[in-house]
Amino acid sequence: MAPRFGIEEEYFVVDPGTREVVPRAPAVVRRASAALGDRASTELVAFLAEAKTAPCDDIDKLGEQVRSMRAAMAAAAAAEGVRLAASGTPILGDLFPAPIGAGARYAESRAIYRALDDEQSICSCHVHVEMPDRERAVQVSNHLRPWLPTLLALAANSPYWAGRDTGHACWRVMTWARWPVAGPPPFFESSAHYEDLVGTLLGCGALMDAGTIFWDVRPSARLPTVEVRLADVAPSAADAVVFAALIRALVEVSSAAVDTGEPPPDPSPEMLRAAYWLAARDGLGGTGVDVRTGRPAGFREQTGALMAHVRPALEASGDLRTVADGVRRLLAGGTGAERQRAAYRRRGTLTDVVDALLLADR
């Protein structure tokens, strides 16, 4: 049986007139909590509202939860006179310095990370897949590492930042890369190796606490899951569900490889970093590097290899058709970044881009 899975999503709070981000997330979350309870929450920056699903057994249940969760968040925002937009970066607004939320934890973050917090206006999607223990989560992480650049290209939904086109498909990952513990995770020999490194990072002050381990794959700090956190928030619920099902399948195949003792590829940090940058710059339309071979390869080609790799798990769960259709849609020019730029080209206005991403319509 496929493991349970779920997602967390972040959204920008925007003014319905100007379409600029506004620091109204606390009010939206308070109102949304009547329907979602603690599945709605604030984030570091007051422009951002977060929502999460409960653990789900299958793709249909996850789809129902994501749609109802987005509807509840959109309704709460509308009742507060604002809207929510699903983009990895803020498209319009006065961003500097970002309005930091109230509370002791956020004050501590400001003291430790300082100006890094000023530009932390980004929205992502985190996929959780249930794991039997932390050792398995760490070993699965090793097997996921070579596929992370391809996943990044598939999920790119952040070409604009504060009124300009960055020239990247995923600018969010570029801003995120400046943090001391972020990006692709290291290769870990064991969970003890993982805990030892985390302990060192905590001891030297590079981490505030276990919740600020911002590697793109990690054992969850609070749940019995492996957490894949490299994606921009998806422009639609359908995109979010396809991506989550693809991640679950990849985790299943990776876990099976752990069972059989298959050694995971261990690309160099330099190669993985370069592959990340190429994926973030050009998205699916670009040529990156296949870190398994060290050779140049287009991200469309690498997506085909990824689908072949996870096909057994998708067939076993019954998710193959849904995921294959969704990936074909992305390959045909349907990534979030491509759709944002298409919305801009229609009239040359960024307000149209924001409108194309409003949660009530997605």
Side-chain angles (χ1 to χ4, degrees):
M1 179 180 293
R4 295 191 301 170
F5 65 145
I7 69 171
E8 304 174 24
E9 295 186 319
E10 296 156 345
Y11 320 109
F12 284 110
V13 183
V14 299
D15 181 274
T18 65
R19 279 74 151 199
E20 295 181 356
V21 290
V22 288
R24 298 283 305 282
V28 172
V29 168
R30 281 194 298 271
R31 190 175 289 271
S33 296
L36 298 176
D38 62 4
R39 293 197 293 119
S41 58
T42 56
E43 266 291 344
L44 172 73
V45 175
F47 297 145
L48 276 61
E50 181 180 86
K52 58 185 71 69
T53 71
C56 297
D57 297 313
D58 62 53
I59 195 171
D60 291 334
K61 292 177 183 176
L62 183 67
E64 291 170 5
Q65 284 221 19
V66 174
R67 288 188 294 272
S68 64
M69 173 181 82
R70 286 186 170 215
M73 293 297 290
E80 292 293 331
V82 292
R83 305 291 293 275
L84 298 179
S87 173
T89 47
I91 296 163
L92 291 168
D94 182 10
L95 308 180
F96 310 108
I100 304 302
R105 178 175 172 78
Y106 296 153
E108 184 180 3
S109 177
R110 170 67 89 183
I112 294 172
Y113 297 115
R114 304 170 193 179
L116 283 180
D117 280 354
D118 289 345
E119 297 184 21
Q120 206 47 34
S121 298
I122 56 176
C123 289
S124 60
C125 173
H126 301 171
V127 179
H128 289 264
V129 183
E130 203 165 40
M131 287 277 100
D133 52 53
R134 289 178 73 80
E135 180 66 38
R136 178 55 58 99
V138 168
Q139 296 300 332
V140 163
S141 171
N142 289 338
H143 284 269
L144 296 182
R145 290 171 75 240
W147 300 105
L148 296 179
T150 305
L151 293 169
L152 180 62
L154 282 163
N157 184 36
S158 54
Y160 296 103
W161 175 274
R164 74 182 188 93
D165 191 327
T166 65
H168 285 64
C170 180
W171 188 246
R172 181 192 58 83
V173 81
M174 294 291 96
T175 68
W176 196 228
R178 294 175 296 178
W179 285 67
V181 183
F187 185 97
F188 293 108
E189 297 294 337
S190 64
S191 60
H193 180 199
Y194 175 90
E195 299 296 349
D196 182 63
L197 177 55
V198 168
T200 299
L201 293 169
L202 283 165
C204 72
L207 288 174
M208 187 171 80
D209 53 35
T212 55
I213 301 168
F214 294 142
W215 287 314
D216 285 339
V217 185
R218 68 179 188 184
S220 173
R222 56 188 175 80
L223 299 169
T225 65
V226 62
E227 183 181 1
V228 180
R229 32 187 304 118
L230 87 165
D232 288 339
V233 64
S236 72
D239 291 326
V241 171
V242 165
F243 188 77
L246 181 59
I247 293 294
R248 180 172 71 165
L250 182 56
V251 167
E252 288 185 86
V253 170
S254 299
S255 187
V258 173
D259 286 335
T260 60
E262 179 183 332
D266 185 14
S268 70
E270 296 81 7
M271 186 76 71
L272 198 49
R273 180 179 173 85
Y276 253 59
W277 182 75
L278 290 164
R281 186 187 68 178
D282 298 326
L284 281 182
T287 297
V289 57
D290 185 338
V291 298
R292 297 169 302 159
T293 65
R295 297 179 179 276
F299 284 109
R300 294 179 188 277
E301 175 188 341
Q302 294 186 63
T303 297
L306 172 60
M307 286 298 292
H309 182 66
V310 301
R311 186 183 181 95
L314 291 173
E315 289 178 333
S317 64
D319 296 345
L320 178 60
R321 181 173 180 178
T322 299
V323 174
D325 287 348
V327 168
R328 278 193 291 269
R329 186 170 63 247
L330 296 174
L331 290 170
T335 66
E338 291 167 314
R339 284 143 71 178
Q340 285 199 37
R341 288 190 170 118
Y344 178 79
R345 285 194 298 269
R346 283 194 282 272
R347 295 195 306 169
T349 65
L350 287 173
T351 55
D352 286 351
V353 179
V354 177
D355 288 348
L357 297 165
L358 293 177
L359 219 60
D361 303 321
R362 300 283 140 195

